[in-house]
Amino acid sequence: MARRPVIIDTDCGIDDAQAVMMALAAPDIQVLAVTCVFGNTSVENVCQNVLKVLTVCERQQIPVFRGCGGPLVGARKPVSDHFGTDGLGDVLEDQDPQEKKIQKEHAVNAMIRLVTENQKQVSLVALGPLTNLALAVRLDPGFPQKLKDLYIMGGNMEGKGNVTLCAEFNFAMDAESAYIVLEEFLCPTHVASWEYACRNALTWEFFEELMNQDAPAAAFMKTITSKCRAYSKEALFNKRDVYFGPCFVSYDAYAMAACIDGSVVTERIECPVRVELQGSISRGMMALDRTNELKKSHSVFVLTKCDVAKFRQLLMESVRQPRT
């Protein structure tokens, strides 16, 4: 059976790294490229983080492309430091940047080229702010129709944000791009929202089992999650609600799992959505139009429940010996 071509667009933080490993471990997935965008850290750090993940998984032949370093419009926003200044917990030994291994072609141009060469075949998995995707449709308005499908980790269903009062991080970092993508990408689109991940969370006991597998990828993940895990324990002791919370949630992995195996998703809502741009406290919020008030021509699939056992299995496979 031919492997399904996938492009991963990422702002490679810790959960992105887990999602990339999941794709690399899937026997029927061919990662055509990894395109990088700002978000968890600067786009320069993102490129280096992706190269580190590919090296650990012995998949250095996969091309890595540098993309947008800030939002589509407006001033560049400060990146998150939740995963450390480097996006991977500031725990890895300093290494010389592998600049020569980053492709010269811009990520957006590469994305358009690869999808045009493989029309209706490529699944695009977007794990960070959607700036590269929005720029792609501006450069090539036919780009979305050339995709097989699109999987997004981002947005929220109920107006509860994790970085602002009403918005999820990826959409808040570039609300205009999120708006453009959800308005103009007419290919089948699957949104793994913040709530979807939180409500299908895993136990910390499973996390410990995952990190203690006897494999290089597991050792790598254990290292880069060490500070976040320690911070989580302190936060729980002080009864504060933080990113890692009372459960283990590898946010970006939920979108990747849906791409790899559609049966992981057991329930979804099909409806039009729109990203709010004007609200003083709701900018970046994703609104679900369940009553067709917007009269939009297309809907998206907003994921709501997953088969947690299958998801756990995909995570476990992601940290075991890499497959080539």
Side-chain angles (χ1 to χ4, degrees):
M1 182 183 298
R3 294 192 295 168
R4 294 189 291 125
V6 169
I7 295 173
I8 303 171
D9 188 69
T10 179
D11 61 337
C12 198
I14 292 173
D15 54 338
D16 302 71
Q18 189 84 70
V20 172
M21 288 179 174
M22 185 181 282
L24 298 178
D28 63 341
I29 296 294
Q30 177 190 7
V31 179
L32 293 180
V34 181
T35 54
C36 301
V37 68
F38 81 104
N40 283 311
T41 184
S42 68
V43 71
E44 290 77 18
N45 284 342
V46 170
C47 292
Q48 298 304 316
N49 292 349
V50 170
L51 291 171
K52 290 170 186 174
V53 173
L54 296 179
T55 298
V56 167
C57 296
E58 300 178 11
R59 301 293 290 277
Q60 298 96 318
Q61 75 277 16
I62 295 172
V64 177
F65 299 88
R66 181 186 288 109
C68 296
L72 192 66
V73 297
R76 180 181 302 207
K77 302 176 183 180
V79 296
S80 168
D81 64 353
H82 178 80
F83 292 143
T85 57
D86 71 348
L88 293 182
D90 291 329
V91 293
L92 300 176
E93 293 182 5
D94 290 336
Q95 298 175 343
D96 292 332
Q98 303 180 69
E99 189 66 26
K100 292 182 179 179
K101 293 185 178 180
I102 301 170
Q103 302 296 311
K104 299 302 182 185
E105 186 179 16
H106 192 278
V108 175
N109 293 333
M111 192 182 290
I112 293 171
R113 173 178 57 79
L114 289 167
V115 170
T116 300
E117 292 170 355
N118 301 276
Q119 293 195 32
K120 300 292 186 180
Q121 299 178 53
V122 177
S123 295
L124 177 55
V125 183
L127 306 176
L130 298 176
T131 316
N132 286 341
L133 279 68
L135 186 54
V137 74
R138 285 292 174 262
L139 293 176
D140 179 4
F143 175 75
Q145 286 68 44
K146 299 174 187 177
L147 286 168
K148 180 178 184 291
D149 45 26
L150 169 64
Y151 294 82
I152 296 170
M153 191 284 126
N156 52 344
M157 295 184 284
E158 298 161 6
K160 179 181 178 182
N162 64 350
V163 291
T164 66
L165 183 62
C166 296
E168 175 275 335
F169 174 81
N170 285 340
F171 282 22
M173 291 297 282
D174 191 347
E176 277 76 17
S177 287
Y179 180 94
I180 289 168
V181 169
L182 289 174
E183 293 294 317
E184 300 185 26
F185 277 60
L186 304 183
C187 59
T189 299
H190 309 259
V191 180
S193 70
W194 181 59
E195 295 98 331
Y196 172 66
C198 291
R199 288 180 177 160
N200 293 279
L202 304 175
T203 66
W204 282 110
E205 289 76 17
F206 174 77
F207 172 85
E208 298 296 344
E209 180 185 0
L210 187 70
M211 297 299 113
N212 288 316
Q213 295 296 303
D214 185 16
F220 177 76
M221 289 303 303
K222 187 173 184 178
T223 298
I224 66 176
T225 56
S226 59
K227 281 192 176 180
C228 282
R229 181 65 176 111
Y231 176 69
S232 240
K233 288 180 178 179
E234 178 199 358
L236 290 173
F237 179 77
N238 293 321
K239 297 184 178 179
R240 289 186 282 119
D241 183 21
V242 296
Y243 187 91
F244 269 111
C247 298
F248 166 53
V249 188
S250 185
Y251 290 87
D252 290 322
Y254 288 87
M256 186 62 72
C259 175
I260 292 170
D261 181 0
S263 71
V264 168
V265 181
T266 58
E267 290 186 19
R268 71 202 78 201
I269 299 167
E270 183 177 2
C271 71
V273 298
R274 176 157 290 166
V275 176
E276 174 60 41
L277 296 181
Q278 303 303 323
S280 60
I281 61 173
S282 58
R283 176 176 163 79
M285 180 185 77
M286 182 176 72
L288 276 62
D289 179 16
R290 303 194 194 207
T291 58
N292 198 30
E293 291 294 319
L294 298 175
K295 308 299 181 186
K296 292 182 67 174
S297 63
H298 73 287
S299 297
V300 304
F301 299 101
V302 181
L303 314 184
T304 55
K305 290 186 181 180
C306 82
D307 185 324
V308 175
K310 288 185 177 180
F311 181 64
R312 283 198 304 261
Q313 184 60 34
L314 287 172
L315 279 171
M316 193 62 72
E317 291 171 357
S318 74
V319 298
R320 289 175 176 160
Q321 293 300 325
R323 299 170 183 172
T324 57

